[in-house]
Amino acid sequence: MSELRWNPLLGEWVATATQRQERTFLPPADFCPLCPTKLGGFPTEVPENDYDIVVFENRFPSLKSKPPTPSVEATELYNVSPGQGVCEVVLYSPHHSSTLTDEPVEQIYKLVQVWTDRFRELGALDFVNYVFIFENKGEAIGVTLHHPHGQIYAYPFIPPQIARELDQSRAHHEHTGRCLVCDIIAEERRDGRRVVMENSSFTAYIPFFARYPYEVHIASTRHLQALTDIEHHEQRAMAKILKALLMAYDKLFNLSFPYMMVLHQRPTDGGQYDHYHFHIEFYPPLRTATKLKYLAGSETGAGMFINDTLAEEKAAELRAYVVEGGRD
Amino acid sequence: MEKQENMQGKTLTDRCRVGEIRKNKITLEDGRYLILYSFDQADVRSCATDAGTSNPEPVADEERLV
């Protein structure tokens, strides 16, 4: 069962996807469903092994292109809608024990091109108004399969966090005539203390307003709205800065660093979003090598994040692990 | 504004080759689709040239970043 239920208190949709309760949970490496099917072995999700990157529809989707009729009827207060959308899995590599960090820049560059293709194709679907590309990495985030992969959710609506960013960006543009993220990048570069690294096309920084100790945003220097606006040399610069940041993350505590990585792009509903600015955000849950930043009462119940650290100090820590090759 | 007007570039079609990407879309037994993306080494070299790299030959990332 997959459906959308309206939350009138917050003015947002919640997806119910009861079939996801049955999804594969931390199988041993020999039984990874995301590895290529071996000759004589059990059938996995990927019948071939001759590929660079694989994308497929999630076996346990939260949203479906042809969703079932909702299990309950809508009322005046409680709206219900079919859970229409697309949920894809993106395999970064055929190799089970790899991570995005381990992949060479060339592979990340290929991934950027695949992301761009998926944004273009999914965004063109009539029922898709927002394409959300993301990765959950590590058991600390709740990952159930260790094979290196990300996901794409194609929503039938603009999700609330993005809608809020769009509203803020629009209001800033109407007030100043400038792009909000362009101004944030300029402020971060002028100050310098929170910049982790930069190259010709992107700047990586822990924002002044970071909610997580090692939260990093990567924003394009050029004002653009989506992956489809990016030139080839910018795709490559994006791959290089991603690789350098991921390496710094892993070196920070000498472990495979867990994180949520999300790409924030313009909606695909046909509207005008020239005021918006494409960027990537990382939310790592670790605040030390052994302690997690939990989303507890204030964060979850009030939406008020409390960061136990200073962005200026954490950026300096990360900068110490940035290798020169991340720049171009 | 029509939705398609805001879509830049062109969509890759199934089992086709556009630029650097080869894309093979297949249908699984349960009706879901799976897309195999692959890139030629020559395309990687041309990408390096696009990026303005002085040496267009692929360079191991370990040499550059580690």
Side-chain angles (χ1 to χ4, degrees):
Chain A
M1 186 51 61
S2 178
E3 63 198 26
L4 296 172
R5 295 186 174 203
W6 182 249
N7 176 346
L9 263 180
L10 293 176
E12 64 187 33
W13 291 105
V14 174
T16 61
T18 54
Q19 73 280 3
R20 286 179 56 77
Q21 281 281 56
E22 307 303 321
R23 68 187 186 275
T24 312
F25 183 77
L26 296 176
D30 289 348
F31 291 93
C32 174
L34 303 186
C35 283
T37 300
K38 296 183 179 70
L39 194 64
F42 75 99
T44 70
E45 295 280 22
V46 189
E48 299 188 34
N49 57 15
D50 183 20
Y51 66 85
D52 284 307
I53 291 170
V54 160
V55 173
F56 61 89
E57 282 186 288
N58 197 321
R59 182 185 288 270
F60 303 98
S62 304
L63 304 165
K64 298 178 180 178
S65 57
K66 295 176 181 173
T69 302
S71 63
V72 294
E73 293 183 3
T75 68
E76 184 179 349
L77 184 63
Y78 290 155
N79 195 7
V80 181
S81 178
Q84 190 174 34
V86 181
C87 293
E88 293 184 340
V89 177
V90 183
L91 301 186
Y92 300 156
S93 163
H95 305 296
H96 179 82
S97 58
S98 181
T99 66
L100 190 57
T101 315
D102 297 333
E103 293 299 320
V105 168
E106 297 296 350
Q107 185 70 6
I108 300 174
Y109 173 68
K110 293 172 186 173
L111 177 62
V112 171
Q113 293 175 80
V114 170
W115 281 342
T116 305
D117 184 56
R118 300 320 301 150
F119 176 81
R120 186 183 290 125
E121 184 170 317
L122 293 171
L125 296 173
D126 288 342
F127 57 87
V128 172
N129 284 337
Y130 195 85
V131 178
F132 184 61
I133 298 169
F134 66 101
E135 180 190 354
N136 298 327
K137 182 196 169 199
E139 289 184 37
I141 299 295
V143 160
T144 56
L145 299 171
H146 285 301
H147 194 108
H149 71 284
Q151 299 183 66
I152 302 175
Y153 278 17
Y155 298 116
F157 53 81
I158 300 171
Q161 183 110 334
I162 304 300
R164 202 167 165 187
E165 279 193 5
L166 289 166
D167 288 346
Q168 288 294 110
S169 297
R170 183 179 289 109
H172 183 84
H173 189 263
E174 287 173 359
H175 182 65
T176 66
R178 299 189 303 272
C179 161
L180 177 56
V181 173
C182 286
D183 276 2
I184 288 173
I185 297 169
E187 178 83 11
E188 294 295 351
R189 294 180 73 180
R190 182 193 62 74
D191 184 286
R193 288 176 297 172
R194 294 175 295 274
V195 173
V196 177
M197 71 188 90
E198 55 189 333
N199 62 27
S200 61
S201 302
F202 290 88
T203 303
Y205 53 94
I206 298 183
F208 174 77
F209 47 83
R211 298 178 298 175
Y212 295 83
Y214 298 101
E215 176 178 338
V216 169
H217 293 195
I218 298 176
S220 56
T221 305
R222 196 160 62 86
H223 179 69
L224 41 85
Q225 286 72 53
L227 287 166
T228 44
D229 303 332
I230 296 179
E231 306 285 347
H232 278 298
H233 72 278
E234 292 170 318
Q235 289 181 325
R236 190 165 185 81
M238 183 172 151
K240 291 184 79 171
I241 203 165
L242 279 169
K243 170 78 176 179
L245 174 64
L246 293 169
M247 289 176 65
Y249 270 157
D250 275 12
K251 288 178 179 174
L252 182 65
F253 298 135
N254 196 28
L255 52 76
S256 187
F257 204 68
Y259 57 75
M260 292 169 273
M261 172 181 68
V262 304
L263 276 65
H264 283 184
Q265 307 183 74
R266 64 164 168 78
T268 57
D269 61 354
Q272 286 289 353
Y273 297 99
D274 292 346
H275 57 279
Y276 193 62
H277 193 126
F278 164 74
H279 62 285
I280 304 171
E281 298 187 4
F282 282 84
Y283 319 126
L286 289 179
R287 57 188 174 91
T288 72
T290 56
K291 296 189 179 81
L292 290 170
K293 160 66 182 169
Y294 287 102
L295 302 192
S298 182
E299 289 85 356
T300 305
M304 165 69 182
F305 274 73
I306 298 166
N307 186 342
D308 301 334
T309 66
L310 290 177
E312 294 77 15
E313 294 177 359
K314 296 294 129 179
E317 283 181 34
L318 273 179
R319 266 199 308 274
Y321 294 103
V322 174
V323 293
E324 193 62 30
R327 305 182 181 97
D328 60 359
Chain B
M1 179 180 185
E2 290 299 317
K3 186 168 189 172
Q4 283 298 327
E5 289 179 355
N6 207 18
M7 292 293 144
Q8 297 187 15
K10 59 183 176 180
T11 303
L12 297 174
T13 55
D14 298 351
R15 201 167 185 89
C16 70
R17 179 184 174 122
V18 177
E20 301 122 3
I21 295 181
R22 277 183 289 123
K23 184 179 172 187
N24 183 9
K25 190 171 187 176
I26 60 179
T27 303
L28 302 173
E29 285 184 1
D30 60 5
R32 291 178 296 136
Y33 60 76
L34 179 143
I35 307 167
L36 299 151
Y37 287 91
S38 50
F39 299 70
D40 285 347
Q41 193 64 23
D43 297 320
V44 173
R45 283 198 295 274
S46 70
C47 296
T49 305
D50 288 347
T53 308
S54 56
N55 178 6
E57 293 300 319
V59 178
D61 294 299
E62 292 71 18
E63 294 173 23
R64 288 192 294 226
L65 292 177
V66 180

